[in-house]
Amino acid sequence: MSRLFGIPDEWKVNDDNFPTASSHEQRIVEKNVAKYYSYQEDLHLIFRIQLFIRQHLNYLNNSLKKLPQSYQCLDASRPWLVYWILHSLDLLKKTPPEEFKHSIIDFLSRCQSPDGGFGGGPGQIPHLAPTYAAICAVCIVNLKEGYQMINRKALQNFLLSLKTPEGAFRLHDDGEVDVRQAATSYLFLFFTGVYCATVAARLTNIANSELFKDTPEWIARCQTYEGGIGSIPGMEAHSGYSFCGFAALVLLGHEEVIDCQKLLRWTARKQMQFEGGFQGRTNKLVDGCYSFWQGGLFPLLNLVLFMNGDESIDLEEWLFDDVALQEYVLACCQHPKGGCFDKPGKPRDFYHTCYGLSGLSVAQHVGNQYKTKRVVGDPENELNPTHPVYNINPSHVVDMQKYFNVLSPP
């Protein structure tokens, strides 16, 4: 049922007459979301629901050149800003001018440490999270000089230096064995060190038997009784950790160490009935960024379960309501001047723009190999596909791996 033509009252939160702080917040969100859907319902009588392509492009292109002073709090996350903006532009089928691509590579090269890995900015200590973002950005730019800029041997040594005896990865020298880092006062990024290390190693072909020894078993210990994956063993299941943990297992070829059916059930139950988007944890609010962190799990789970002989899996369908997710992103997460936010009433930012559009892309390309398309609203809303493991355009992943896979691991 399309939410553009009304949402049944029975889909609203039911607190059984025992209101809590969580149920109160949920009611506020549902009220705000209903207003956005109601507006789209009126508009839909004349126009199809629209992706604000021109506004998003203006927001992203202007910000790639110069950021306002308010973004100084993200000085330690500058490769992230580059990645979020570049990937969003790529999803919208736009690429920066060739000369600007060279400037991006030059900037990222100045973020690279002589000891391997990348820091949050020039001269900053290397850290796994901006290392992941920088290498993904190099992949999107898709220039040979970008590939050649990466010091593979130093990167391998950097990753090995962060490896812990149990198979996990610290985020930086003498840092925490984390799966989460708080980046700013309003953005919270959820990435496992394992995922960042695995992506960096696979894209640059520096993985060896020592680098990921015991890592799958460590990830398996992070799966909770609910079925999702937590930050470390014993912690609550969270969508960001679940995606990162399972994607890392896919890259390592060891999906069998966790209960995939249990993970699938947990992930499917995180789609909100009223809003259509996903929550990140049990009894939490909907958030546009989980459109990818939860939505991106389904292509991976579909393929793994199918390859394991599960006859109930249809490779032309994801096991969530892709139409409802598209409607939530399009109707409730777009700023009229460009950019996306997590829910009505929140400010726009590059993080939610990147992952909101990424989730929209996953929902549009509902079949494996991106063959089946189901685009809600105007046909012009269709985005480029994104790789469900790397969250990069699949063609860029192929090009980067073609370059590095002919090179021997250092």
Side-chain angles (χ1 to χ4, degrees), residues 51-63 71 88 92 333-341 346-350 352-354 357:
L51 177 66
F52 301 156
I53 297 174
R54 177 178 56 82
Q55 295 90 329
H56 293 322
L57 290 175
N58 288 338
Y59 172 64
L60 295 164
N61 279 318
N62 292 337
S63 301
Y71 276 87
S88 298
L92 293 163
C333 296
Q334 294 191 94
H335 193 285
K337 293 185 178 180
C340 297
F341 39 76
K346 297 292 185 178
R348 62 180 176 172
D349 58 65
F350 302 115
H352 286 94
T353 301
C354 173
L357 293 178

Side-chain angles (χ1 to χ4, degrees), residues 263-271 278 298 319-320:
L263 175 59
L264 175 62
R265 286 194 297 272
W266 178 83
T267 307
R269 289 169 179 168
K270 294 296 159 289
Q271 187 166 23
F278 284 94
F298 289 95
L319 295 176
F320 72 97

Side-chain angles (χ1 to χ4, degrees), residues 73-94:
C73 61
L74 284 171
D75 184 61
S77 300
R78 292 167 71 183
W80 279 112
L81 293 168
V82 174
Y83 164 64
W84 292 332
I85 294 172
L86 284 178
H87 182 50
S88 298
L89 286 170
D90 199 301
L91 288 168
L92 293 163
K93 306 179 181 179
K94 297 294 181 181

